[in-house]
Amino acid sequence: MPVEMPTPSNPMRIGTRGSRLALVQAQMVRDKLGRELDVENSAFEILPIRTTGDKILGKPLREVGGKGLFCREIEECLLAGRVDIAVHSMKDMPVEQPAGLVIDCTLPRDDPRDALVTVCSKRVVDLPDGTIVGTSSVRRKAQVLRANPRVRVEDIRGNLETRLAKLNNGLVQATLLAMAGLARAENKPEFAHAVSLDEMLPAAAQGIICVERRSVDLRAAAMLETINDEEASIASVAERTFLALLDGYCEMPIGAYAALTNEGLLLRGEVLRPDGADWTAGCIAGSRDDAALLGQELADSLLRSNGEGFFSSFR
C-alpha cells in the first residue's frame, strides 16, 4: 500500500528540544526525509518542546532523574499524538523506551570523539595543575581525573552555548563537549581540540542522531526506513547493550565505542570509578549481525573478571 506523503496542509510534526543544536538536528532529519520522499520542507513542522532537563540547571543530572529528563515531555507528546516523530541525540536517551514507542532510525554517525575546549592545553594530561574543568558528565569527569588528577572538575550544565559562555566568562578554564555537536551547531572554537579515543572513550552512541516514533505508526516507520543508516544502528545497538547491562542510565562513568570494519565489528568498553582512580576495560570482536550479543558478552566479561562488588563500589 502506498505511503501517504506529508503535505503543507497535513505536515509531519517533528518534536525536539528547543536548543539551537537540537533544532539543527531536527532540521537535518527534516531535510533528509524531504530529499528521500521528494517533498518540500514545508511538508514538515518542527515543534520545540521544553523538557525538565532544560528547566533544572542548578543540579547534576544524577540528582534530579538522569537522562530521561531530556526526553520525557517529548515522549509524552509523541504518545499523545501531538507530534509524529521525535528527534534526539542517541547518547542522551535511556536504554529503554516507554511502552508504545520505538527507536529504529538513526542518521549516519558523525565524529564520536569528545572535544577539549580550552586555551590551556591541547591534551587533558597536559592541563596545568589546578585547572578548573567544567562538565556535568560523570564519564568525562572520571576520564579527566584518570588522565590528570591534578585538575579540579566542577559541575556545569546548560546547552552548548551556555557552557561555552561559562568558559569565555572565566567561570571554568576548560570544558568538554561532543565534537559532533560543535560541528552541527557550527560553533567550534579555534581552541577546541579533539580527544583521542585512546584517551577518552565516548558515551555510548555519541555522535548519533536517532528518531523515535509510535510503534503502531507504520506510516512513520515506512518514511523513516528511507533515511536509516545501518552502520550507525549497528554501532548504537552494541554500545547501548553494553551500557544497559552495566548501568542503564547515567549513574556510573561508562564509555563505549563500536568500530565497524570490513571484517565485522570491534567493540571497546570501560567503566571507571567516579574519581578516576580505578577502572576496568575490555574489547571484543565479532560479526556485525551479533551487535547486541557482543555488547552483552563484553559486559559479562567485565563482570566475571572483576566481580559484582567491583562495580557496586563505584557508586
Side-chain angles (χ1 to χ4, degrees):
M1 181 180 296
V3 176
E4 180 186 355
M5 293 292 110
T7 65
S9 59
N10 184 27
M12 171 172 271
R13 298 158 299 172
I14 303 174
T16 177
R17 293 170 62 191
S19 70
R20 178 185 174 194
L21 176 57
L23 291 171
V24 167
Q25 293 180 167
Q27 290 162 5
M28 291 171 64
V29 171
R30 176 200 64 190
D31 294 348
K32 282 183 173 292
L33 281 170
R35 287 193 297 271
E36 291 299 324
L37 302 176
D38 193 25
V39 297
E40 299 293 330
N41 283 349
S42 57
F44 302 92
E45 183 180 2
I46 295 176
L47 299 175
I49 300 165
R50 194 176 185 205
T51 69
T52 301
D54 298 312
K55 300 172 187 176
I56 303 175
L57 299 178
K59 296 181 179 180
L61 275 182
R62 59 189 176 276
E63 295 181 7
V64 292
K67 292 182 180 180
L69 294 180
F70 288 119
C71 61
R72 186 173 301 154
E73 285 84 357
I74 299 174
E75 290 179 328
E76 289 172 354
C77 288
L78 187 54
L79 285 168
R82 291 193 287 273
V83 296
D84 300 303
I85 59 174
V87 177
H88 310 279
S89 293
M90 181 73 99
K91 72 179 180 65
D92 292 334
M93 297 299 289
V95 292
E96 293 184 2
Q97 275 63 63
L101 298 181
V102 63
I103 293 174
D104 55 5
C105 175
T106 58
L107 268 56
R109 189 174 209 165
D110 290 320
D111 194 334
R113 295 175 296 175
D114 289 303
L116 173 65
V117 188
T118 182
V119 297
C120 300
S121 170
K122 293 183 179 180
R123 299 176 62 213
V124 173
V125 70
D126 296 327
L127 288 169
D129 292 5
T131 299
I132 301 174
V133 182
T135 178
S136 63
S137 163
V138 294
R139 172 189 62 85
R140 288 170 174 156
K141 176 180 179 180
Q143 290 172 328
V144 165
L145 291 174
R146 173 179 61 184
N148 190 341
R150 302 173 303 280
V151 302
R152 290 170 49 196
V153 181
E154 296 187 357
D155 275 313
I156 61 168
R157 289 214 26 232
N159 60 34
L160 186 153
E161 288 76 22
T162 299
R163 284 179 279 172
L164 287 176
K166 291 180 179 180
L167 177 66
N168 293 332
N169 292 336
L171 297 179
V172 297
Q173 294 160 318
T175 190
L176 289 136
L177 300 165
M179 287 289 292
L182 291 172
R184 291 171 191 154
E186 299 182 343
N187 195 8
K188 182 181 176 183
E190 60 180 338
F191 46 88
H193 315 288
V195 181
S196 164
L197 293 175
D198 291 328
E199 187 174 6
M200 290 178 62
L201 280 181
Q206 184 161 299
I208 298 177
I209 296 171
C210 67
V211 187
E212 192 173 26
R213 64 174 176 86
R214 291 183 293 279
S215 55
V216 297
D217 191 344
L218 301 183
R219 173 174 175 263
M223 294 183 190
L224 294 176
E225 186 179 7
T226 67
I227 65 168
N228 180 54
D229 183 81
E230 184 179 6
E231 291 199 351
S233 178
I234 292 170
S236 66
V237 167
E239 295 168 22
R240 282 166 57 82
T241 301
F242 173 78
L243 173 69
L245 293 175
L246 290 179
D247 182 78
Y249 292 89
C250 57
E251 295 296 324
M252 295 171 67
I254 296 176
Y257 179 64
L260 276 70
T261 67
N262 292 333
E263 291 74 33
L265 183 150
L266 176 65
L267 174 64
R268 298 166 59 190
E270 67 177 8
V271 185
L272 303 93
R273 194 179 296 279
D275 62 4
D278 197 7
W279 64 91
T280 182
C283 65
I284 190 170
S287 168
R288 295 182 177 201
D289 296 333
D290 295 328
L293 180 61
L294 291 173
Q296 178 180 336
E297 289 185 350
L298 182 56
D300 288 343
S301 173
L302 295 187
L303 286 168
R304 286 194 306 269
S305 61
N306 294 281
E308 291 283 357
F310 178 81
F311 294 91
S312 62
S313 69
F314 282 19
R315 295 185 183 276

